[in-house]
Structure formats: C-alpha cells, structure tokens
Amino acid sequence: MKVTYVLKDGTRMDSMKGYVIPYREDTKQIYRTMANVAAEAEKYRRERKMA
C-alpha cells in the first residue's frame, strides 16, 4: 500500500519526513499535543531511570 499526503494547498507528498507543520491558529493544538506527549515520555524515562 502506498500513502500519498495531500496538503491543504494541494501539494502532494510521498512522505512527511522533514516537513515542518507551520504554527498557526489552526495547527497550534497539534503542537500542544506533541509537547504533552514529549513531557510524558520524559517523565516516564526519568521514573524508569530512578527505579
């Protein structure tokens, strides 16, 4: 199966690797979500290191 990503402006991409999602009002929630995921992963890593 092949996945093709189609951006809002019509640009087609075979991969999202290296693509930076622009920070705008309509994308800020994904940045918040990813920051929360990163914070939780770091918390988990630190807890495991101390055990």
PDB file of all heavy atoms in Angstrom, residues 6-36:
ATOM      1  N   VAL A   6      -1.708  14.743   0.980  1.00  0.00           N
ATOM      2  CA  VAL A   6      -2.135  15.910   0.217  1.00  0.00           C
ATOM      3  C   VAL A   6      -2.325  17.054   1.214  1.00  0.00           C
ATOM      4  O   VAL A   6      -3.166  16.977   2.107  1.00  0.00           O
ATOM      5  CB  VAL A   6      -3.439  15.651  -0.555  1.00  0.00           C
ATOM      6  CG1 VAL A   6      -3.836  16.883  -1.362  1.00  0.00           C
ATOM      7  CG2 VAL A   6      -3.284  14.437  -1.465  1.00  0.00           C
ATOM      8  N   LEU A   7      -1.527  18.107   1.047  1.00  0.00           N
ATOM      9  CA  LEU A   7      -1.601  19.247   1.941  1.00  0.00           C
ATOM     10  C   LEU A   7      -2.755  20.161   1.552  1.00  0.00           C
ATOM     11  O   LEU A   7      -3.323  20.051   0.463  1.00  0.00           O
ATOM     12  CB  LEU A   7      -0.278  20.016   1.914  1.00  0.00           C
ATOM     13  CG  LEU A   7       0.980  19.195   2.202  1.00  0.00           C
ATOM     14  CD1 LEU A   7       2.199  20.090   2.211  1.00  0.00           C
ATOM     15  CD2 LEU A   7       0.860  18.433   3.504  1.00  0.00           C
ATOM     16  N   LYS A   8      -3.085  21.050   2.451  1.00  0.00           N
ATOM     17  CA  LYS A   8      -4.211  21.968   2.246  1.00  0.00           C
ATOM     18  C   LYS A   8      -4.082  22.765   0.945  1.00  0.00           C
ATOM     19  O   LYS A   8      -5.060  23.044   0.273  1.00  0.00           O
ATOM     20  CB  LYS A   8      -4.288  22.916   3.442  1.00  0.00           C
ATOM     21  CG  LYS A   8      -5.529  23.730   3.532  1.00  0.00           C
ATOM     22  CD  LYS A   8      -5.529  24.516   4.839  1.00  0.00           C
ATOM     23  CE  LYS A   8      -6.802  25.293   5.026  1.00  0.00           C
ATOM     24  NZ  LYS A   8      -6.824  26.004   6.300  1.00  0.00           N
ATOM     25  N   ASP A   9      -2.832  23.085   0.572  1.00  0.00           N
ATOM     26  CA  ASP A   9      -2.612  23.873  -0.651  1.00  0.00           C
ATOM     27  C   ASP A   9      -2.573  23.015  -1.915  1.00  0.00           C
ATOM     28  O   ASP A   9      -2.312  23.508  -3.004  1.00  0.00           O
ATOM     29  CB  ASP A   9      -1.334  24.696  -0.533  1.00  0.00           C
ATOM     30  CG  ASP A   9      -0.066  23.850  -0.513  1.00  0.00           C
ATOM     31  OD1 ASP A   9      -0.155  22.601  -0.581  1.00  0.00           O
ATOM     32  OD2 ASP A   9       1.020  24.430  -0.427  1.00  0.00           O
ATOM     33  N   GLY A  10      -2.815  21.708  -1.773  1.00  0.00           N
ATOM     34  CA  GLY A  10      -2.827  20.809  -2.920  1.00  0.00           C
ATOM     35  C   GLY A  10      -1.504  20.108  -3.178  1.00  0.00           C
ATOM     36  O   GLY A  10      -1.424  19.230  -4.033  1.00  0.00           O
ATOM     37  N   THR A  11      -0.461  20.473  -2.459  1.00  0.00           N
ATOM     38  CA  THR A  11       0.833  19.821  -2.607  1.00  0.00           C
ATOM     39  C   THR A  11       0.704  18.351  -2.232  1.00  0.00           C
ATOM     40  O   THR A  11       0.115  18.011  -1.215  1.00  0.00           O
ATOM     41  CB  THR A  11       1.890  20.493  -1.694  1.00  0.00           C
ATOM     42  OG1 THR A  11       1.967  21.872  -2.029  1.00  0.00           O
ATOM     43  CG2 THR A  11       3.247  19.847  -1.845  1.00  0.00           C
ATOM     44  N   ARG A  12       1.261  17.479  -3.071  1.00  0.00           N
ATOM     45  CA  ARG A  12       1.241  16.041  -2.806  1.00  0.00           C
ATOM     46  C   ARG A  12       2.628  15.592  -2.391  1.00  0.00           C
ATOM     47  O   ARG A  12       3.616  15.984  -2.996  1.00  0.00           O
ATOM     48  CB  ARG A  12       0.767  15.295  -4.040  1.00  0.00           C
ATOM     49  CG  ARG A  12      -0.624  15.712  -4.498  1.00  0.00           C
ATOM     50  CD  ARG A  12      -1.009  15.126  -5.828  1.00  0.00           C
ATOM     51  NE  ARG A  12      -1.491  13.761  -5.759  1.00  0.00           N
ATOM     52  CZ  ARG A  12      -2.702  13.397  -5.327  1.00  0.00           C
ATOM     53  NH1 ARG A  12      -3.539  14.320  -4.919  1.00  0.00           N
ATOM     54  NH2 ARG A  12      -3.063  12.135  -5.300  1.00  0.00           N
ATOM     55  N   MET A  13       2.689  14.760  -1.350  1.00  0.00           N
ATOM     56  CA  MET A  13       3.971  14.288  -0.827  1.00  0.00           C
ATOM     57  C   MET A  13       3.898  12.785  -0.587  1.00  0.00           C
ATOM     58  O   MET A  13       2.874  12.271  -0.138  1.00  0.00           O
ATOM     59  CB  MET A  13       4.295  15.011   0.492  1.00  0.00           C
ATOM     60  CG  MET A  13       4.355  16.529   0.355  1.00  0.00           C
ATOM     61  SD  MET A  13       4.572  17.354   1.938  1.00  0.00           S
ATOM     62  CE  MET A  13       6.272  16.953   2.280  1.00  0.00           C
ATOM     63  N   ASP A  14       4.997  12.091  -0.869  1.00  0.00           N
ATOM     64  CA  ASP A  14       5.079  10.657  -0.581  1.00  0.00           C
ATOM     65  C   ASP A  14       5.438  10.405   0.872  1.00  0.00           C
ATOM     66  O   ASP A  14       5.195   9.329   1.401  1.00  0.00           O
ATOM     67  CB  ASP A  14       6.118   9.992  -1.476  1.00  0.00           C
ATOM     68  CG  ASP A  14       5.692   9.959  -2.936  1.00  0.00           C
ATOM     69  OD1 ASP A  14       4.471   9.911  -3.198  1.00  0.00           O
ATOM     70  OD2 ASP A  14       6.567   9.973  -3.801  1.00  0.00           O
ATOM     71  N   SER A  15       6.039  11.404   1.524  1.00  0.00           N
ATOM     72  CA  SER A  15       6.469  11.264   2.913  1.00  0.00           C
ATOM     73  C   SER A  15       6.348  12.618   3.612  1.00  0.00           C
ATOM     74  O   SER A  15       6.523  13.664   2.987  1.00  0.00           O
ATOM     75  CB  SER A  15       7.925  10.802   2.959  1.00  0.00           C
ATOM     76  OG  SER A  15       8.426  10.884   4.271  1.00  0.00           O
ATOM     77  N   MET A  16       6.099  12.578   4.893  1.00  0.00           N
ATOM     78  CA  MET A  16       6.056  13.803   5.691  1.00  0.00           C
ATOM     79  C   MET A  16       7.399  14.038   6.388  1.00  0.00           C
ATOM     80  O   MET A  16       7.553  15.014   7.109  1.00  0.00           O
ATOM     81  CB  MET A  16       4.949  13.713   6.747  1.00  0.00           C
ATOM     82  CG  MET A  16       3.547  13.651   6.162  1.00  0.00           C
ATOM     83  SD  MET A  16       3.090  15.099   5.199  1.00  0.00           S
ATOM     84  CE  MET A  16       2.877  16.303   6.479  1.00  0.00           C
ATOM     85  N   LYS A  17       8.355  13.158   6.142  1.00  0.00           N
ATOM     86  CA  LYS A  17       9.663  13.268   6.781  1.00  0.00           C
ATOM     87  C   LYS A  17      10.306  14.617   6.443  1.00  0.00           C
ATOM     88  O   LYS A  17      10.419  14.994   5.273  1.00  0.00           O
ATOM     89  CB  LYS A  17      10.578  12.136   6.324  1.00  0.00           C
ATOM     90  CG  LYS A  17      11.899  12.107   7.045  1.00  0.00           C
ATOM     91  CD  LYS A  17      12.715  10.906   6.634  1.00  0.00           C
ATOM     92  CE  LYS A  17      14.004  10.873   7.422  1.00  0.00           C
ATOM     93  NZ  LYS A  17      14.786   9.698   7.111  1.00  0.00           N
ATOM     94  N   GLY A  18      10.682  15.347   7.481  1.00  0.00           N
ATOM     95  CA  GLY A  18      11.339  16.626   7.291  1.00  0.00           C
ATOM     96  C   GLY A  18      10.388  17.797   7.109  1.00  0.00           C
ATOM     97  O   GLY A  18      10.802  18.944   7.136  1.00  0.00           O
ATOM     98  N   TYR A  19       9.102  17.503   6.935  1.00  0.00           N
ATOM     99  CA  TYR A  19       8.125  18.581   6.748  1.00  0.00           C
ATOM    100  C   TYR A  19       7.783  19.176   8.109  1.00  0.00           C
ATOM    101  O   TYR A  19       7.461  18.449   9.048  1.00  0.00           O
ATOM    102  CB  TYR A  19       6.861  18.061   6.069  1.00  0.00           C
ATOM    103  CG  TYR A  19       5.818  19.142   5.874  1.00  0.00           C
ATOM    104  CD1 TYR A  19       5.959  20.081   4.869  1.00  0.00           C
ATOM    105  CD2 TYR A  19       4.713  19.220   6.705  1.00  0.00           C
ATOM    106  CE1 TYR A  19       5.013  21.082   4.683  1.00  0.00           C
ATOM    107  CE2 TYR A  19       3.765  20.222   6.530  1.00  0.00           C
ATOM    108  CZ  TYR A  19       3.925  21.148   5.527  1.00  0.00           C
ATOM    109  OH  TYR A  19       3.001  22.132   5.354  1.00  0.00           O
ATOM    110  N   VAL A  20       7.853  20.478   8.220  1.00  0.00           N
ATOM    111  CA  VAL A  20       7.516  21.152   9.469  1.00  0.00           C
ATOM    112  C   VAL A  20       6.124  21.760   9.325  1.00  0.00           C
ATOM    113  O   VAL A  20       5.871  22.554   8.416  1.00  0.00           O
ATOM    114  CB  VAL A  20       8.543  22.265   9.795  1.00  0.00           C
ATOM    115  CG1 VAL A  20       8.152  22.997  11.057  1.00  0.00           C
ATOM    116  CG2 VAL A  20       9.937  21.663   9.917  1.00  0.00           C
ATOM    117  N   ILE A  21       5.243  21.358  10.222  1.00  0.00           N
ATOM    118  CA  ILE A  21       3.887  21.910  10.208  1.00  0.00           C
ATOM    119  C   ILE A  21       3.974  23.350  10.694  1.00  0.00           C
ATOM    120  O   ILE A  21       4.486  23.610  11.776  1.00  0.00           O
ATOM    121  CB  ILE A  21       2.954  21.088  11.118  1.00  0.00           C
ATOM    122  CG1 ILE A  21       2.847  19.662  10.587  1.00  0.00           C
ATOM    123  CG2 ILE A  21       1.581  21.741  11.212  1.00  0.00           C
ATOM    124  CD1 ILE A  21       2.134  18.709  11.510  1.00  0.00           C
ATOM    125  N   PRO A  22       3.493  24.297   9.900  1.00  0.00           N
ATOM    126  CA  PRO A  22       3.581  25.695  10.308  1.00  0.00           C
ATOM    127  C   PRO A  22       2.721  25.950  11.545  1.00  0.00           C
ATOM    128  O   PRO A  22       1.646  25.376  11.696  1.00  0.00           O
ATOM    129  CB  PRO A  22       3.052  26.474   9.096  1.00  0.00           C
ATOM    130  CG  PRO A  22       2.278  25.497   8.302  1.00  0.00           C
ATOM    131  CD  PRO A  22       2.833  24.142   8.603  1.00  0.00           C
ATOM    132  N   TYR A  23       3.224  26.799  12.435  1.00  0.00           N
ATOM    133  CA  TYR A  23       2.464  27.139  13.632  1.00  0.00           C
ATOM    134  C   TYR A  23       1.502  28.268  13.295  1.00  0.00           C
ATOM    135  O   TYR A  23       1.911  29.368  12.937  1.00  0.00           O
ATOM    136  CB  TYR A  23       3.391  27.570  14.768  1.00  0.00           C
ATOM    137  CG  TYR A  23       2.646  27.770  16.063  1.00  0.00           C
ATOM    138  CD1 TYR A  23       2.411  26.701  16.916  1.00  0.00           C
ATOM    139  CD2 TYR A  23       2.134  29.017  16.407  1.00  0.00           C
ATOM    140  CE1 TYR A  23       1.706  26.873  18.095  1.00  0.00           C
ATOM    141  CE2 TYR A  23       1.425  29.192  17.581  1.00  0.00           C
ATOM    142  CZ  TYR A  23       1.210  28.122  18.421  1.00  0.00           C
ATOM    143  OH  TYR A  23       0.506  28.291  19.574  1.00  0.00           O
ATOM    144  N   ARG A  24       0.231  27.946  13.348  1.00  0.00           N
ATOM    145  CA  ARG A  24      -0.834  28.914  13.095  1.00  0.00           C
ATOM    146  C   ARG A  24      -1.965  28.602  14.068  1.00  0.00           C
ATOM    147  O   ARG A  24      -1.939  27.605  14.787  1.00  0.00           O
ATOM    148  CB  ARG A  24      -1.373  28.770  11.666  1.00  0.00           C
ATOM    149  CG  ARG A  24      -0.374  28.950  10.566  1.00  0.00           C
ATOM    150  CD  ARG A  24      -1.046  28.884   9.194  1.00  0.00           C
ATOM    151  NE  ARG A  24      -1.886  27.713   9.040  1.00  0.00           N
ATOM    152  CZ  ARG A  24      -1.645  26.709   8.198  1.00  0.00           C
ATOM    153  NH1 ARG A  24      -0.605  26.733   7.408  1.00  0.00           N
ATOM    154  NH2 ARG A  24      -2.469  25.684   8.125  1.00  0.00           N
ATOM    155  N   GLU A  25      -2.958  29.435  14.059  1.00  0.00           N
ATOM    156  CA  GLU A  25      -4.115  29.233  14.941  1.00  0.00           C
ATOM    157  C   GLU A  25      -4.738  27.851  14.734  1.00  0.00           C
ATOM    158  O   GLU A  25      -5.104  27.176  15.694  1.00  0.00           O
ATOM    159  CB  GLU A  25      -5.147  30.338  14.688  1.00  0.00           C
ATOM    160  CG  GLU A  25      -6.278  30.355  15.678  1.00  0.00           C
ATOM    161  CD  GLU A  25      -5.859  30.644  17.106  1.00  0.00           C
ATOM    162  OE1 GLU A  25      -4.865  31.377  17.318  1.00  0.00           O
ATOM    163  OE2 GLU A  25      -6.528  30.135  18.029  1.00  0.00           O
ATOM    164  N   ASP A  26      -4.831  27.415  13.477  1.00  0.00           N
ATOM    165  CA  ASP A  26      -5.475  26.127  13.202  1.00  0.00           C
ATOM    166  C   ASP A  26      -4.562  24.916  13.415  1.00  0.00           C
ATOM    167  O   ASP A  26      -5.017  23.781  13.318  1.00  0.00           O
ATOM    168  CB  ASP A  26      -6.073  26.111  11.794  1.00  0.00           C
ATOM    169  CG  ASP A  26      -5.039  26.223  10.700  1.00  0.00           C
ATOM    170  OD1 ASP A  26      -3.956  26.789  10.945  1.00  0.00           O
ATOM    171  OD2 ASP A  26      -5.311  25.766   9.575  1.00  0.00           O
ATOM    172  N   THR A  27      -3.291  25.124  13.730  1.00  0.00           N
ATOM    173  CA  THR A  27      -2.379  23.992  13.971  1.00  0.00           C
ATOM    174  C   THR A  27      -1.805  23.993  15.381  1.00  0.00           C
ATOM    175  O   THR A  27      -1.086  23.061  15.743  1.00  0.00           O
ATOM    176  CB  THR A  27      -1.208  24.002  12.967  1.00  0.00           C
ATOM    177  OG1 THR A  27      -0.437  25.191  13.154  1.00  0.00           O
ATOM    178  CG2 THR A  27      -1.683  23.881  11.542  1.00  0.00           C
ATOM    179  N   LYS A  28      -2.105  25.000  16.177  1.00  0.00           N
ATOM    180  CA  LYS A  28      -1.474  25.087  17.493  1.00  0.00           C
ATOM    181  C   LYS A  28      -1.845  23.916  18.405  1.00  0.00           C
ATOM    182  O   LYS A  28      -1.042  23.511  19.235  1.00  0.00           O
ATOM    183  CB  LYS A  28      -1.751  26.417  18.166  1.00  0.00           C
ATOM    184  CG  LYS A  28      -3.147  26.633  18.641  1.00  0.00           C
ATOM    185  CD  LYS A  28      -3.258  28.007  19.284  1.00  0.00           C
ATOM    186  CE  LYS A  28      -4.658  28.280  19.770  1.00  0.00           C
ATOM    187  NZ  LYS A  28      -4.748  29.614  20.327  1.00  0.00           N
ATOM    188  N   GLN A  29      -3.007  23.307  18.227  1.00  0.00           N
ATOM    189  CA  GLN A  29      -3.387  22.186  19.084  1.00  0.00           C
ATOM    190  C   GLN A  29      -2.462  20.983  18.884  1.00  0.00           C
ATOM    191  O   GLN A  29      -2.120  20.300  19.846  1.00  0.00           O
ATOM    192  CB  GLN A  29      -4.841  21.780  18.838  1.00  0.00           C
ATOM    193  CG  GLN A  29      -5.333  20.709  19.795  1.00  0.00           C
ATOM    194  CD  GLN A  29      -5.220  21.112  21.259  1.00  0.00           C
ATOM    195  OE1 GLN A  29      -5.603  22.210  21.633  1.00  0.00           O
ATOM    196  NE2 GLN A  29      -4.686  20.247  22.090  1.00  0.00           N
ATOM    197  N   ILE A  30      -2.023  20.722  17.659  1.00  0.00           N
ATOM    198  CA  ILE A  30      -1.107  19.598  17.449  1.00  0.00           C
ATOM    199  C   ILE A  30       0.223  19.858  18.139  1.00  0.00           C
ATOM    200  O   ILE A  30       0.831  18.951  18.691  1.00  0.00           O
ATOM    201  CB  ILE A  30      -0.916  19.260  15.947  1.00  0.00           C
ATOM    202  CG1 ILE A  30      -0.170  17.936  15.778  1.00  0.00           C
ATOM    203  CG2 ILE A  30      -0.170  20.345  15.211  1.00  0.00           C
ATOM    204  CD1 ILE A  30      -0.892  16.734  16.265  1.00  0.00           C
ATOM    205  N   TYR A  31       0.662  21.105  18.157  1.00  0.00           N
ATOM    206  CA  TYR A  31       1.893  21.428  18.873  1.00  0.00           C
ATOM    207  C   TYR A  31       1.723  21.217  20.375  1.00  0.00           C
ATOM    208  O   TYR A  31       2.614  20.696  21.040  1.00  0.00           O
ATOM    209  CB  TYR A  31       2.339  22.867  18.577  1.00  0.00           C
ATOM    210  CG  TYR A  31       3.119  22.974  17.295  1.00  0.00           C
ATOM    211  CD1 TYR A  31       2.497  23.272  16.096  1.00  0.00           C
ATOM    212  CD2 TYR A  31       4.490  22.745  17.286  1.00  0.00           C
ATOM    213  CE1 TYR A  31       3.214  23.355  14.911  1.00  0.00           C
ATOM    214  CE2 TYR A  31       5.215  22.829  16.107  1.00  0.00           C
ATOM    215  CZ  TYR A  31       4.565  23.121  14.923  1.00  0.00           C
ATOM    216  OH  TYR A  31       5.286  23.196  13.764  1.00  0.00           O
ATOM    217  N   ARG A  32       0.579  21.596  20.914  1.00  0.00           N
ATOM    218  CA  ARG A  32       0.316  21.368  22.341  1.00  0.00           C
ATOM    219  C   ARG A  32       0.278  19.885  22.642  1.00  0.00           C
ATOM    220  O   ARG A  32       0.829  19.428  23.642  1.00  0.00           O
ATOM    221  CB  ARG A  32      -1.001  22.015  22.747  1.00  0.00           C
ATOM    222  CG  ARG A  32      -0.929  23.500  22.841  1.00  0.00           C
ATOM    223  CD  ARG A  32      -2.234  24.065  23.346  1.00  0.00           C
ATOM    224  NE  ARG A  32      -2.181  25.513  23.362  1.00  0.00           N
ATOM    225  CZ  ARG A  32      -3.228  26.296  23.287  1.00  0.00           C
ATOM    226  NH1 ARG A  32      -4.433  25.776  23.189  1.00  0.00           N
ATOM    227  NH2 ARG A  32      -3.088  27.604  23.314  1.00  0.00           N
ATOM    228  N   THR A  33      -0.387  19.125  21.787  1.00  0.00           N
ATOM    229  CA  THR A  33      -0.481  17.677  21.987  1.00  0.00           C
ATOM    230  C   THR A  33       0.902  17.033  21.957  1.00  0.00           C
ATOM    231  O   THR A  33       1.236  16.214  22.824  1.00  0.00           O
ATOM    232  CB  THR A  33      -1.385  17.046  20.911  1.00  0.00           C
ATOM    233  OG1 THR A  33      -2.688  17.643  21.012  1.00  0.00           O
ATOM    234  CG2 THR A  33      -1.485  15.549  21.065  1.00  0.00           C
ATOM    235  N   MET A  34       1.707  17.398  20.976  1.00  0.00           N
ATOM    236  CA  MET A  34       3.054  16.816  20.870  1.00  0.00           C
ATOM    237  C   MET A  34       3.934  17.220  22.053  1.00  0.00           C
ATOM    238  O   MET A  34       4.734  16.420  22.541  1.00  0.00           O
ATOM    239  CB  MET A  34       3.704  17.200  19.546  1.00  0.00           C
ATOM    240  CG  MET A  34       2.992  16.614  18.342  1.00  0.00           C
ATOM    241  SD  MET A  34       2.760  14.813  18.435  1.00  0.00           S
ATOM    242  CE  MET A  34       4.447  14.261  18.363  1.00  0.00           C
ATOM    243  N   ALA A  35       3.776  18.447  22.549  1.00  0.00           N
ATOM    244  CA  ALA A  35       4.531  18.875  23.730  1.00  0.00           C
ATOM    245  C   ALA A  35       4.123  18.043  24.943  1.00  0.00           C
ATOM    246  O   ALA A  35       4.985  17.630  25.740  1.00  0.00           O
ATOM    247  CB  ALA A  35       4.311  20.357  23.990  1.00  0.00           C
ATOM    248  N   ASN A  36       2.846  17.761  25.079  1.00  0.00           N
ATOM    249  CA  ASN A  36       2.378  16.924  26.186  1.00  0.00           C
ATOM    250  C   ASN A  36       2.905  15.500  26.076  1.00  0.00           C
ATOM    251  O   ASN A  36       3.320  14.906  27.071  1.00  0.00           O
ATOM    252  CB  ASN A  36       0.849  16.917  26.245  1.00  0.00           C
ATOM    253  CG  ASN A  36       0.282  18.230  26.709  1.00  0.00           C
ATOM    254  OD1 ASN A  36       0.961  19.026  27.352  1.00  0.00           O
ATOM    255  ND2 ASN A  36      -0.966  18.486  26.370  1.00  0.00           N
TER     256      ASN A  36
END
